[in-house]
């Protein structure tokens, strides 16, 4: 199973378009849609630092959906819009709240692939920053996981994909996104037996 964390809580966000496109491409590679989970980030209710901590026994419906997605997925795509050269508050806060030993099973034995989303020429910085943060988390928690070196910068996203993640016919963009998904699916097939063996 693969998980896609679409790190924007806006309805019909560009980030959700990319998430649906990744799901579509994974399905074209033979993975059933039911095995490619996208928690609904429009329901985001993970408390920020001043609002308390998460407890596995008391998760909301959305929090439980993220937990189940991450725990049960072997490959996790982590997507974030680029806001003023930073990842979204939602995705950073998710890592802050769940990036600890209480939620170790969400991070251990996984492949993580990052993607930044922009309506212009952007996306690189959140993808790279998330790679740094995920590598740090894996290091501190002493986990056997890998952050993929293959990132994707989704530029001019609203012109490249419709709201259902279908291609608008831009060949170069489509090729780049397909290669990103294909590479990370193949990476997970090669590395996961060793991580979980």
């Amino acid at each position: 199973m693969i998980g896609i964390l679409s790190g924007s809580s806006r309805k019909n966000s560009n980030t959700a378009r990319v998430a649906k496109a990744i799901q579509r491409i994974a399905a074209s590679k033979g993975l059933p849609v039911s095995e490619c989970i996208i928690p609904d980030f429009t329901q985001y209710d993970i408390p920020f630092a001043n609002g308390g901590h998460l407890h596995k026994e008391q998760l909301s419906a959305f929090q439980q959906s993220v937990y189940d997605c991450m725990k049960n997925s072997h490959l996790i795509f982590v997507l974030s819009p680029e806001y003023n050269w930073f990842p979204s508050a939602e995705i950073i806060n998710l890592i802050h709240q769940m990036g600890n030993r209480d939620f170790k099973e969400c991070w251990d034995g996984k492949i993580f692939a990052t993607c930044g989303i922009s309506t212009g020429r952007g996306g690189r910085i959140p993808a790279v920053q998330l790679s740094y943060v995920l590598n740090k988390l894996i290091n501190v928690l002493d986990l056997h996981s890998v952050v993929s070196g293959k990132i994707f910068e989704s530029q001019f996203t609203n012109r490249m994909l419709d709201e259902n993640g279908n291609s608008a016919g831009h060949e170069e963009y489509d090729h780049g996104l397909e290669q990103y998904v294909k590479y990370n699916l193949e990476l997970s097939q090669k590395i996961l037996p060793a991580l979980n063996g």
Side-chain angles (χ1 to χ4, degrees):
M1 189 165 96
I2 70 172
I4 305 173
L5 303 181
S6 175
S8 172
S9 57
R10 291 183 179 179
K11 291 186 183 300
N12 302 316
S13 70
N14 289 314
T15 308
R17 293 180 187 212
V18 177
K20 292 172 185 174
I22 291 172
Q23 186 181 55
R24 171 178 53 80
I25 294 167
S28 77
K29 305 295 180 193
L31 188 73
V33 172
S34 62
E35 292 291 307
C36 187
I37 307 303
I38 308 173
D40 183 3
F41 267 64
T42 65
Q43 304 301 308
Y44 191 94
D45 63 357
I46 296 174
F48 288 92
N50 63 348
H53 300 285
L54 293 185
H55 302 282
K56 280 196 289 191
E57 317 76 39
Q58 300 173 331
L59 297 176
S60 70
F62 170 75
Q63 295 161 11
Q64 189 70 51
S65 73
V66 172
Y67 174 79
D68 291 341
C69 170
M70 294 183 70
K71 177 185 171 189
N72 296 321
S73 296
H74 62 273
L75 169 61
I76 300 175
F77 291 93
V78 184
L79 283 53
S80 175
E82 183 171 314
Y83 289 136
N84 298 319
W85 305 283
F86 284 99
S88 70
E90 292 91 338
I91 206 72
I92 291 297
N93 187 58
L94 183 153
I95 295 169
H96 169 73
Q97 287 281 26
M98 296 181 72
N100 57 61
R101 296 192 191 285
D102 289 342
F103 291 92
K104 182 178 178 180
E105 61 274 21
C106 293
W107 308 97
D108 199 19
K110 317 285 182 189
I111 305 290
F112 294 95
T114 64
C115 175
I117 291 93
S118 177
T119 56
R121 293 196 183 279
R124 177 176 299 174
I125 293 177
V128 170
Q129 287 178 334
L130 287 170
S131 295
Y132 292 158
V133 170
L134 290 168
N135 270 307
K136 182 67 173 177
L137 187 150
I138 290 166
N139 172 52
V140 169
L141 297 182
D142 196 26
L143 306 177
H144 294 97
S145 289
V146 172
V147 179
S148 172
K150 185 77 163 175
I151 66 172
F152 186 69
E153 304 162 33
S154 180
Q155 301 181 352
F156 302 104
T157 306
N158 54 328
R159 298 186 213 169
M160 303 296 144
L161 300 169
D162 70 17
E163 63 183 19
N164 296 311
N166 296 312
S167 169
H170 298 272
E171 186 176 342
E172 188 174 348
Y173 178 93
D174 292 346
H175 177 73
L177 182 58
E178 181 160 344
Q179 287 301 110
Y180 167 72
V181 176
K182 179 175 180 283
Y183 176 94
N184 285 300
L185 287 170
E186 290 174 350
L187 181 68
S188 69
Q189 291 168 358
K190 289 178 180 178
I191 291 181
L192 284 166
L195 290 178
N196 296 304

